[in-house]
Amino acid sequence: MSFGKIRLDKFLGAFPNLERNERLDLVRQLEQNTRANIDFIMMMVLSTSLASLGLLADSSAVVIGAMLIAPLMGPLVAAGLSLVQANLSLFRKSMGVAGIGIGIGLAASLVFGALNPGFEPTLEIEARGKPDLLDLGIAFFSGMTAAYATGRSNVMTTIAGVAIAAALVPPLAVVGLALTHGRPLISFNAAILLTTNLVAIILGTAIVFRILHVHVSRQGAGMPIWVRRATMLLFLLLALLIAPLVGQMIEGKRTGQDRPVEYQLAP
């Protein structure tokens, strides 16, 4: 065994192992978060509605509130766990629920955009239309934090902060709002940000669950082919997203931050 392998095993061994009952409870908990029931649908509609209104009103407080109640993080954490445990049923279920949530959120944002014609994109909307490489890092570490907090009950209080950092619903709402306002470039960039968040969160959660030894021991056998293909697909998407994110970062450094030329005064 190489020196690097020994050091890596020693590093991973420093993290606490979840007992069998804790792993079973974790799987049950995440399976409950991958149900497209009426609660999930209503919370998705309400969170996207709040996010849309907050973006149109240029209110950071409302947008943050929408992040806190958004239910999308649960299916993504479950998807990361399913990759580590080679649980095909959980992976299909979690990705299906995430897809349903994204569809519901997009429909809600399109409705709010159609009900508010003539609005100019606010600073909150434009901020989601210019993702860069920093957003990739934020999403990746948000997924790692969510997985660690889910696996360690003593730090579960950090989940609220993870929801704010992940920021899944605001870019989803911007996709629909920008389309109805005739701003396809902002909509496209917001879609890039949303995809970046989804992919990075799943990969980040999978890495942390592997560190926490939640994976299933296969006694030398390799991971199933679907796990390898899904992981390769996620890394391929990540590689494709890096180019536009780097381009946005370079452009942002060149042009600086967008700010209004003037502020209106109250009468």
Side-chain angles (χ1 to χ4, degrees):
M1 182 181 292
S2 65
F3 178 73
K5 178 67 173 178
I6 295 175
R7 294 291 297 273
L8 179 60
D9 291 342
K10 184 177 180 180
F11 171 75
L12 295 178
F15 290 91
N17 291 344
L18 295 183
E19 300 296 333
R20 182 176 182 275
N21 291 336
E22 293 177 324
R23 293 198 299 269
L24 292 175
D25 291 339
L26 176 62
V27 173
R28 294 192 196 101
Q29 175 188 345
L30 292 178
E31 284 179 342
Q32 291 178 355
N33 295 332
T34 57
R35 297 177 181 175
N37 51 23
I38 187 62
D39 295 330
F40 177 85
I41 294 172
M42 282 301 301
M43 293 305 296
M44 202 64 225
V45 171
L46 294 174
S47 62
T48 310
S49 300
L50 273 177
S52 300
L53 292 173
L55 291 165
L56 291 170
D58 203 19
S59 173
S60 300
V62 177
V63 174
I64 291 174
M67 298 178 197
L68 286 172
I69 65 175
L72 270 180
M73 181 62 79
L76 299 181
V77 175
L81 177 67
S82 65
L83 286 177
V84 175
Q85 290 200 323
N87 189 335
L88 180 58
S89 174
L90 181 60
F91 182 77
R92 287 175 173 173
K93 187 184 298 183
S94 58
M95 295 305 294
V97 172
I100 292 173
I102 292 172
I104 293 172
L106 180 60
S109 64
L110 288 171
V111 169
F112 276 92
L115 293 175
N116 294 273
F119 273 74
E120 289 294 323
T122 62
L123 292 178
E124 286 289 333
I125 291 177
E126 290 183 349
R128 272 78 187 182
K130 295 183 178 180
D132 58 27
L133 206 57
L134 295 177
D135 294 297
L136 173 60
I138 292 171
F140 183 76
F141 284 104
S142 296
M144 295 182 71
T145 307
Y148 193 85
T150 304
R152 304 295 297 166
S153 58
N154 57 317
V155 292
M156 277 293 290
T157 54
T158 61
I159 287 294
V162 174
I164 297 175
L168 291 167
V169 169
L172 174 59
V174 169
V175 173
L177 293 175
L179 282 177
T180 56
H181 290 161
R183 300 297 180 97
L185 181 59
I186 294 179
S187 180
F188 177 73
N189 288 335
I192 290 179
L193 175 58
L194 175 63
T195 307
T196 300
N197 288 346
L198 296 175
V199 173
I201 287 172
I202 293 175
L203 290 176
T205 56
I207 290 173
V208 169
F209 282 135
R210 181 67 175 81
I211 292 175
L212 292 178
H213 308 284
V214 184
H215 63 285
V216 177
S217 176
R218 307 187 68 85
Q219 297 180 349
M223 296 300 288
I225 186 65
W226 75 265
V227 175
R228 295 197 294 270
R229 288 178 176 175
T231 305
M232 289 177 60
L233 178 60
L234 289 172
F235 276 107
L236 177 61
L237 284 174
L238 203 60
L240 294 175
L241 290 167
I242 286 177
L245 293 176
V246 171
Q248 284 284 358
M249 174 173 280
I250 295 174
E251 181 66 15
K253 295 293 184 182
R254 186 183 67 84
T255 60
Q257 186 178 4
D258 287 341
R259 297 185 183 276
V261 178
E262 61 183 13
Y263 292 90
Q264 292 184 350
L265 295 177

